């Protein structure tokens, strides 16, 4: 049984600060890793994807992957109130795009103005 | 690009009836489509994977005779909830991949309420 673990929060961060979200996964053969943002009552929106060890930056977002530790993280710089949402960590299998995703339960992030 | 639509966005039906949900990729051909379900305050759970022209692959614990999936073309997949019961009330979300990357693009979801 594949598992993806996240701290459910809520994680409260002041506006302008860095928000750090973490995720661990159980399946060592996982090849693809994603962060999705989900607002209440809406479907997930892709924020970042990462496939190899190290950091990947896109604007205010940085994803970090450490396959040896089975750990994925997301950093949000200069946090804005509009970043307040639930952030879902999702992990794909070894079959690439043919695999469905296993989601964590999500971390509820609150950016305090 | 990579836009996925779903119809309807919400539906209310009576117990025992069937409901069909459509998922379309609007600006790309989807080699694979996925169906997820999300209960309140829970995360998304994969129900099934479908490829165009093939039978869907269902996750353990998902009744294939209850949740009928048809992937008739590279842009359309349908999920039919047969003989729906109140416990089937949930947020059903489809996603699709373009085939050129591992990224899945999600539709806006369909909220099903069975009374």
């Amino acid at each position: 049984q594949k598992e993806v673990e996240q701290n459910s929060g809520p994680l409260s961060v002041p506006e302008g600060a860095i928000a750090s979200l973490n995720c661990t996964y159980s399946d060592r053969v996982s090849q693809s890793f994603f962060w999705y943002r989900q607002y209440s009552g809406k479907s997930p929106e892709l924020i970042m994807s990462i496939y190899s060890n190290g950091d990947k930056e896109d604007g205010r977002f940085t994803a970090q992957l450490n396959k040896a530790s089975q750990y994925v993280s997301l950093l949000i710089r200069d946090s804005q109130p509009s970043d307040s949402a639930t952030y879902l960590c999702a992990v794909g299998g070894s079959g690439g795009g043919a695999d469905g995703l296993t989601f964590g339960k999500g971390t509820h992030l609150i950016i305090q103005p | 690009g990579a836009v996925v639509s779903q119809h309807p966005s919400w539906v209310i039906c009576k117990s025992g009836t069937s409901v069909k949900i459509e998922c379309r990729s609007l600006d790309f051909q989807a080699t694979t489509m996925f169906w997820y379900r999300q209960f309140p305050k829970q995360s998304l759970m994969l129900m099934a994977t479908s490829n165009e022209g093939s039978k869907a692959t269902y996750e353990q614990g998902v009744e294939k005779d209850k949740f009928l999936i048809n992937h008739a073309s590279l842009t359309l997949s349908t999920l039919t909830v047969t003989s729906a019961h109140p416990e089937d009330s949930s947020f059903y979300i489809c996603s699709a991949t373009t085939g050129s990357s591992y990224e899945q693009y999600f539709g806006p979801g369909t909220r099903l309420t069975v009374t």
Side-chain angles (χ1 to χ4, degrees):
Chain A
Q1 183 81 3
K2 301 175 186 176
E3 292 183 350
V4 177
E5 299 288 341
Q6 292 181 256
N7 188 324
S8 62
L11 173 64
S12 185
V13 173
E15 183 176 358
I18 296 175
S20 178
L21 307 166
N22 305 312
C23 167
T24 59
Y25 60 95
S26 64
D27 191 355
R28 285 193 169 275
V29 300
S30 298
Q31 296 292 324
S32 53
F33 308 87
F34 308 91
W35 284 99
Y36 286 86
R37 177 172 62 195
Q38 186 176 31
Y39 294 111
S40 181
K42 303 294 185 181
S43 73
E45 172 191 7
L46 181 65
I47 299 295
M48 291 286 288
S49 60
I50 187 165
Y51 306 111
S52 55
N53 283 328
D55 295 0
K56 179 182 177 182
E57 186 174 319
D58 184 0
R60 295 187 296 114
F61 300 95
T62 299
Q64 300 172 318
L65 173 61
N66 183 324
K67 290 186 179 180
S69 300
Q70 295 174 241
Y71 175 87
V72 193
S73 68
L74 178 70
L75 299 178
I76 307 174
R77 290 181 298 281
D78 188 25
S79 297
Q80 302 297 310
S82 59
D83 294 327
S84 297
T86 296
Y87 287 80
L88 303 172
C89 175
V91 177
S94 58
D99 284 345
L101 300 178
T102 301
F103 282 83
K105 292 185 177 180
T107 298
H108 184 203
L109 175 65
I110 299 171
I111 305 301
Q112 297 176 322
Chain B
V3 178
V4 178
S5 71
Q6 274 184 251
H7 178 80
S9 54
W10 59 270
V11 58
I12 301 173
C13 71
K14 292 189 176 180
S15 186
T17 62
S18 296
V19 173
K20 180 185 282 188
I21 302 170
E22 290 187 350
C23 175
R24 293 181 186 273
S25 57
L26 298 185
D27 53 0
F28 66 99
Q29 292 187 326
T31 53
T32 306
M33 287 183 165
F34 305 89
W35 288 94
Y36 294 84
R37 179 168 55 180
Q38 186 175 34
F39 291 107
K41 302 207 181 294
Q42 295 188 26
S43 194
L44 280 76
M45 294 294 292
L46 177 67
M47 298 176 66
T49 301
S50 77
N51 293 286
E52 183 259 343
S54 302
K55 288 185 177 180
T57 302
Y58 291 81
E59 294 299 299
Q60 191 173 7
V62 178
E63 301 173 56
K64 62 181 180 181
D65 293 332
K66 181 174 183 62
F67 298 99
L68 301 179
I69 292 172
N70 184 283
H71 195 155
S73 74
L74 285 172
T75 60
L76 173 64
S77 177
T78 60
L79 168 68
T80 301
V81 183
T82 63
S83 187
H85 291 285
E87 56 266 30
D88 298 322
S89 298
S90 188
F91 192 38
Y92 292 86
I93 315 172
C94 72
S95 71
T97 57
T98 63
S100 60
S101 76
Y102 294 173
E103 296 172 352
Q104 291 187 22
Y105 298 92
F106 283 83
T110 296
R111 193 161 301 281
L112 170 64
T113 301
V114 185
T115 61

